[in-house]
Amino acid sequence: MTHPILALQSTLVAALRLAGVTVFDAPPQGALPPYVSIARHDVLPRDGDEAPAHEHRLLLHAWTAEASRKSAVALAEAVLSAALAATLDSAGLVVTLRRHDRTDTAIDPATGWARAAIAMTFYSEPGD
């Protein structure tokens, strides 16, 4: 059985790439934005009376190579649009809830790049 983190993350990454978003677990050395990196993916058990379930808390960083919150927010909106609309179920996982929790922005003083941090929550149950 595939771990719930890997099952959800693989379908989410596929949906983002299908939407034209470049996404990495961690940005490779020398990669220039725009891209999205998966900063965190935590999973908590949320078992019910009858079935196991999981709460996924994801933090995605959307980076742009300019000091523009507008461009970072535009990339964040593309991420949210894809993540909230895509089919994320897989052979081992059914996504029962998806929610955008917050987006915050910053300009990195060292690079001048803009970043939008996107926090999302997903609930999942084992699939057939």
Side-chain angles (χ1 to χ4, degrees), residues 8 22-23 33 45 50 54 65 71 80 82 88 92 110 115:
L8 177 62
T22 302
V23 60
E50 305 260 339
H54 294 93
S71 64
L80 286 168
L88 299 176
R115 177 200 42 85

Side-chain angles (χ1 to χ4, degrees), residues 21 62 70-84 100 103 116 118:
V21 176
K70 183 177 180 180
S71 64
V73 168
L75 181 53
E77 289 297 322
V79 167
L80 286 168
S81 178
L84 295 174
H100 172 223
T103 299
I118 308 149

Side-chain angles (χ1 to χ4, degrees), residues 65-127:
E66 53 191 286
S68 166
R69 291 179 200 277
K70 183 177 180 180
S71 64
V73 168
L75 181 53
E77 289 297 322
V79 167
L80 286 168
S81 178
L84 295 174
T87 300
L88 299 176
D89 297 348
S90 65
L93 190 84
V94 175
V95 176
T96 58
L97 177 130
R98 58 186 89 196
R99 179 180 70 224
H100 172 223
D101 298 318
R102 75 171 200 285
T103 299
D104 60 66
T105 62
I107 306 296
D108 181 67
T111 62
W113 297 350
R115 177 200 42 85
I118 308 149
M120 300 185 74
T121 300
F122 298 85
Y123 279 82
S124 70
E125 297 175 357

Side-chain angles (χ1 to χ4, degrees), residues 8-94:
L8 177 62
Q9 194 165 309
S10 66
T11 57
L12 179 61
V13 166
L16 293 175
R17 288 183 176 155
L18 188 63
V21 176
T22 302
V23 60
F24 303 105
D25 270 338
Q29 290 283 334
L32 294 176
Y35 60 76
V36 171
S37 60
I38 301 169
R40 290 189 64 98
H41 185 164
D42 304 319
V43 68
L44 296 88
R46 296 290 186 236
D47 296 346
D49 292 338
E50 305 260 339
H54 294 93
E55 177 183 345
H56 301 257
R57 296 180 187 171
L58 277 89
L59 179 61
L60 308 174
H61 287 172
W63 289 95
T64 61
E66 53 191 286
S68 166
R69 291 179 200 277
K70 183 177 180 180
S71 64
V73 168
L75 181 53
E77 289 297 322
V79 167
L80 286 168
S81 178
L84 295 174
T87 300
L88 299 176
D89 297 348
S90 65
L93 190 84
V94 175

